Amino acid sequence: MMPRMKACSNEGTRKRTASRSAAMTSQEVVRRASGTLSSDPRSNSLSSRRRCSTVFSDFYYIEYMRNISNIKYIDASYFYQKNLPTKLPTYEAYGYVKKKYKDKDIVIEFIKKISDNHGPKQIIKGLIIPANALVSASKNFKIQELRTIKKGSNVSVTWRDVVYVANKPRIACSIIYSEGILEKIAGSYIVLKKPETIKIYPLPIKNHPLKKPKYYMIPKSFITEVRVIE
Amino acid sequence: MKIKSLPKFFPKNKKNNIIVELTILDDKKNKYKCTGVLMKENNSVLRIGFNARNNTVIDYLDVKIKQILDIKMIKSKEIKNLR
């Protein structure tokens, strides 16, 4: 087989090369045939994409996958010692993004299979992040309940976690339940001391992580529920 | 199948990341596409970085050059930013 690098490396992705056409998935072919995607991506207006999403949700997935994206996000961290950082680490990834309109989670595929029609849920290698994990979304995120909770209280926190996926049919983030002492409330995160943390979705329920940490830094934007417990 | 003249995509003095998209064929003839930062290149392997924590790569893949069907550099204007 002759290498096709010359054509591909010198031309942008907007130009349709022969190699790109050959790599087109069967779903894209169906979509073109159904008239939901023109040959020029610039002609796809946002309104038409939204309209498509209500009718052909799987096709909408594919349209997003045409883009290579640079994603900057945050994640929760746990520690076995007291030397905690003053801010959450920032993560950066490149991949093919799948996100339904107004969906809670963003699926980022680092590797995707193109040789057969394996369905939209299979992830070869990638990660799933809550939409609120994006750096822009996590800044200035406020939780009303935290205003009335004092430091040192025993709290339970339910939150959505970033999950790394390899060869699994996942479409949603993990849901985590933590109990512990509210050690700190910072601008973008809280710290739980002596946390008991379990993963409650997907099943089976198990400790997260397996070895119990001393501290857990949880971004506020990940939290779906926080309560004081006796 | 062998790509004899792989262009050198990894200029040592370049400060910006080089983003590439690869088409890969595995041993079972399955085709894959992957994208990421080109980290390292030698005669037999390309290293593609997918994910970084505080600018340190934590997830990467070493791809054998003989498994690469297609490779292209992605311009920054073609990359969608989600931040």
Side-chain angles (χ1 to χ4, degrees):
Chain A
M1 181 181 291
M2 290 296 292
R4 291 171 292 189
M5 288 179 294
K6 188 178 178 183
C8 293
S9 60
N10 291 335
E11 295 181 15
T13 53
R14 291 184 187 279
K15 294 183 179 179
R16 295 290 178 263
T17 61
S19 63
R20 190 175 178 94
S21 299
M24 188 190 306
T25 64
S26 59
Q27 287 164 315
E28 282 178 318
V29 173
V30 172
R31 186 159 181 224
R32 283 172 191 277
S34 67
T36 55
L37 176 71
S38 73
S39 58
D40 185 356
R42 285 168 292 190
S43 66
N44 288 320
S45 65
L46 184 60
S47 59
S48 68
R49 285 185 221 171
R50 285 174 181 170
R51 193 166 55 246
C52 292
S53 71
T54 58
V55 182
F56 303 113
S57 58
D58 287 347
F59 292 156
Y60 191 58
Y61 259 100
I62 294 161
E63 183 168 353
Y64 261 90
M65 286 176 69
R66 297 169 68 85
N67 291 325
I68 292 172
S69 300
N70 173 232
I71 304 101
K72 284 195 175 177
Y73 65 98
I74 55 171
D75 194 3
S77 300
Y78 52 82
F79 302 90
Y80 294 96
Q81 297 170 347
K82 200 177 178 179
N83 298 328
L84 301 182
T86 54
K87 65 177 185 177
L88 288 163
T90 305
Y91 293 77
E92 184 173 4
Y94 285 91
Y96 306 96
V97 168
K98 295 197 289 187
K99 182 182 182 299
K100 286 182 182 176
Y101 181 58
K102 287 187 177 177
D103 209 348
K104 288 181 181 177
D105 298 332
I106 299 171
V107 179
I108 301 144
E109 284 188 307
F110 304 142
I111 304 173
K112 61 178 181 177
K113 196 173 182 180
I114 57 173
S115 52
D116 67 353
N117 186 5
H118 52 80
K121 294 179 182 178
Q122 183 76 27
I123 298 174
I124 305 299
K125 188 178 177 68
L127 59 103
I128 306 173
I129 64 171
N132 285 338
L134 295 177
V135 170
S136 59
S138 63
K139 283 181 181 173
N140 303 320
F141 193 92
K142 290 185 171 56
I143 298 176
Q144 294 292 334
E145 290 89 339
L146 281 175
R147 291 185 176 181
T148 57
I149 299 175
K150 293 178 181 176
K151 282 195 284 187
S153 306
N154 278 321
V155 293
S156 69
V157 182
T158 308
W159 49 288
R160 303 173 69 83
D161 196 11
V162 173
V163 60
Y164 292 84
V165 184
N167 294 312
K168 283 184 182 175
R170 286 285 298 269
I171 55 168
C173 293
S174 298
I175 299 175
I176 310 289
Y177 176 84
S178 299
E179 287 184 3
I181 301 165
L182 185 61
E183 173 82 2
K184 182 179 178 182
I185 303 173
S188 61
Y189 64 89
I190 64 169
V191 177
L192 292 186
K193 185 179 177 183
K194 297 180 181 175
E196 296 276 355
T197 301
I198 54 173
K199 174 173 70 71
I200 57 175
Y201 175 85
L203 296 173
I205 294 172
K206 60 181 181 180
N207 289 340
H208 181 79
L210 294 176
K211 185 185 173 188
K212 187 178 163 185
K214 285 189 176 178
Y215 295 93
Y216 227 120
M217 285 175 76
I218 304 171
K220 285 181 180 175
S221 60
F222 285 21
I223 296 171
T224 55
E225 186 179 35
V226 56
R227 286 182 182 174
V228 177
I229 54 175
E230 298 299 327
Chain B
M1 179 178 2
K2 191 172 182 181
I3 297 173
K4 291 181 180 176
S5 58
L6 193 71
K8 292 291 179 186
F9 278 148
F10 194 57
K12 290 180 180 175
N13 297 326
K14 191 151 185 172
K15 291 179 181 176
N16 294 332
N17 285 334
I18 302 165
I19 313 303
V20 294
E21 183 180 44
L22 305 180
T23 306
I24 305 167
L25 189 70
D26 72 359
D27 298 335
K28 296 177 182 176
K29 306 294 180 189
N30 293 316
K31 275 187 184 176
Y32 300 88
K33 276 198 172 185
C34 77
T35 187
V37 179
L38 185 61
M39 296 174 62
K40 191 172 88 174
E41 178 185 359
N42 60 32
N43 291 332
S44 59
V45 167
L46 283 186
R47 177 169 290 178
I48 308 297
F50 300 126
N51 198 8
R53 173 185 167 137
N54 289 339
N55 295 321
T56 303
V57 173
I58 56 172
D59 195 2
Y60 63 83
L61 179 70
D62 285 336
V63 185
K64 293 176 184 172
I65 284 179
K66 64 180 181 182
Q67 292 183 322
I68 298 173
L69 296 180
D70 192 7
I71 183 168
K72 61 186 174 189
M73 291 178 72
I74 307 298
K75 295 172 187 170
S76 58
K77 65 181 179 183
E78 296 172 296
I79 297 170
K80 182 179 177 180
N81 289 319
L82 278 177
R83 295 176 180 184

